[in-house]
Amino acid sequence: MTKVSIKETQNPTILKFEFPDFITQNESFEFKNIDEAKASPLAQQLFYLPFVKTVYISGNFIAIEKFSIVEWNDVKEAVAEQIEAFVANGGIIIAEQENKTKKQPITVYGETTPNPAALKFVVSRMLTKNAVEFKNIDQTASSPLATELFKFPYVKEVFIDENYISVTKYEINDWQEITLEIRSFIKEFIENGGTVLDENFIATASKQEESKTKEFDTLDVTSQQIINILEEYVKPAVQADGGNIAFDSYNETDKTVKVILQGACSGCPSSTFTLKSGIENMLKSMLNDESIKVEAINA
């Protein structure tokens, strides 16, 4: 009998049930109810459990999000046994006719950024609502695409936001030598149903967004004004250049604003100039305070 491993996730309502082998090939499925789960007889059976809210199937695992009527500690072993028994009795995880990858043509093109070490690969569809940055392959558990990109020896960092992927390279190669290879790889990976960001990460990121909103309400008025200015006037321009900017802190004593730079902006030679003559001047003007200073923290 196939043994299923039970793994916790960053989201306490979601538990992963891992198989020793892959159960899907470059595909991810999300089912919110039994009607949506026609492609998966196993997911349909799981929805007979009254506490099952959502079923995710991807790679070598099934992730289940529960309603709050039960605690995972009380039911997780029984769920694992039910999954194991289903597979042992020849049950189908994903129906064959549904499991064939339907190629969805997309376009991917490269855009230069102010950072000569970073290139922005724009995709013709939305990838995520939550910006995420990976500094090395050990951080890429939530992104199979980023994991694969780090296997290219010249890839130093990967940043994913909205409909683009920013790749920062080592100096060993020039962009003209590698742009086509990266562009083709991203295009083929997504067209073949590869996962850009794991659904578990998306769920966790949504919780983090809620947390940020609550934190915003506790900040002083000046900090709230700074965040609003950055979000409305600065972030769109920074994102257009393949990067991201986030508020870190404001020190009322020395009037220092600390911001986090990500993606193409992180380590960019022109970012210091942009901070000083662009963002700093904007904050001084809009807050009517010439004492304000801006410092960058590279994420």
Side-chain angles (χ1 to χ4, degrees):
M1 183 188 274
T2 302
K3 188 69 181 161
V4 172
S5 304
I6 302 170
K7 299 282 176 68
E8 292 182 356
T9 71
Q10 292 173 306
N11 186 336
T13 65
I14 297 175
L15 215 57
K16 280 169 99 169
F17 298 86
E18 289 190 353
F19 289 75
D21 300 303
F22 281 93
I23 54 175
T24 69
Q25 294 299 320
N26 286 332
E27 285 186 289
S28 296
F29 301 86
E30 177 183 348
F31 308 112
K32 295 284 189 187
N33 55 58
I34 198 165
D35 286 340
E36 285 186 6
K38 288 173 184 168
S40 173
L42 172 55
Q44 284 190 314
Q45 179 167 314
L46 289 169
F47 276 112
Y48 283 107
L49 300 170
F51 56 83
V52 171
K53 182 179 180 182
T54 311
V55 177
Y56 308 98
I57 301 177
S58 179
N60 70 328
F61 69 85
I62 294 167
I64 299 174
E65 181 182 11
K66 71 172 182 67
F67 287 106
S68 56
I69 57 169
V70 297
E71 295 301 324
W72 271 125
N73 281 341
D74 298 330
V75 297
K76 64 184 180 183
E77 297 296 342
V79 173
E81 286 170 15
Q82 183 171 327
I83 293 171
E84 289 167 352
F86 179 90
V87 174
N89 291 327
I92 295 168
I93 298 174
I94 297 291
E96 189 61 38
Q97 67 270 22
E98 297 289 342
N99 198 29
K100 293 221 167 60
T101 304
K102 290 178 183 144
K103 204 159 184 177
Q104 299 177 327
I106 59 160
T107 58
V108 179
Y109 64 89
E111 268 187 9
T112 57
T113 75
N115 185 351
L119 204 63
K120 176 181 173 186
F121 293 89
V122 182
V123 182
S124 59
R125 78 170 201 214
M126 198 71 172
L127 301 174
T128 178
K129 291 179 181 175
N130 302 285
V132 57
E133 183 171 45
F134 306 103
K135 294 288 192 181
N136 56 61
I137 198 168
D138 286 344
Q139 298 176 350
T140 61
S142 62
S143 175
L145 172 58
T147 302
E148 293 304 314
L149 285 170
F150 272 108
K151 291 178 182 176
F152 292 104
Y154 44 73
V155 170
K156 183 181 181 184
E157 294 172 18
V158 176
F159 176 76
I160 303 172
D161 192 14
E162 296 189 345
N163 69 327
Y164 67 87
I165 299 132
S166 279
V167 176
T168 303
K169 70 171 182 67
Y170 287 104
E171 292 179 5
I172 188 170
N173 289 95
D174 292 328
W175 279 119
Q176 65 239 35
E177 299 169 332
I178 59 177
T179 299
L180 182 60
E181 184 176 30
I182 297 178
R183 189 186 71 79
S184 301
F185 174 79
I186 292 171
K187 177 177 166 65
E188 192 173 328
F189 183 91
I190 297 174
E191 281 185 342
N192 287 328
T195 302
V196 177
L197 278 176
D198 192 299
E199 291 297 337
N200 288 337
F201 170 80
I202 307 260
T204 305
S206 299
K207 296 278 182 193
Q208 289 171 343
E209 282 301 311
E210 289 173 24
S211 172
K212 273 188 199 167
T213 304
K214 286 176 186 167
E215 283 174 21
F216 178 86
D217 294 336
T218 65
L219 293 171
D220 61 273
V221 175
T222 307
S223 292
Q224 290 181 343
Q225 288 176 316
I226 292 166
I227 290 171
N228 289 334
I229 292 168
L230 292 176
E231 289 289 325
E232 188 173 350
Y233 298 100
V234 181
K235 188 174 275 194
V238 171
Q239 286 177 324
D241 286 336
N244 190 41
I245 187 168
F247 174 82
D248 178 75
S249 61
Y250 169 65
N251 186 321
E252 214 161 343
T253 309
D254 63 7
K255 304 288 182 78
T256 299
V257 180
K258 289 189 177 177
V259 295
I260 299 166
L261 297 179
Q262 295 176 308
C265 298
S266 180
C268 173
S270 63
S271 61
T272 305
F273 177 79
T274 304
L275 281 169
K276 290 297 173 188
S277 36
I279 301 166
E280 191 174 284
N281 286 344
M282 182 185 289
L283 290 175
K284 283 178 179 178
S285 170
M286 296 184 85
L287 297 173
N288 198 22
D289 188 343
E290 287 298 316
S291 309
I292 284 180
K293 299 188 292 290
V294 177
E295 289 180 7
I297 306 169
N298 287 332

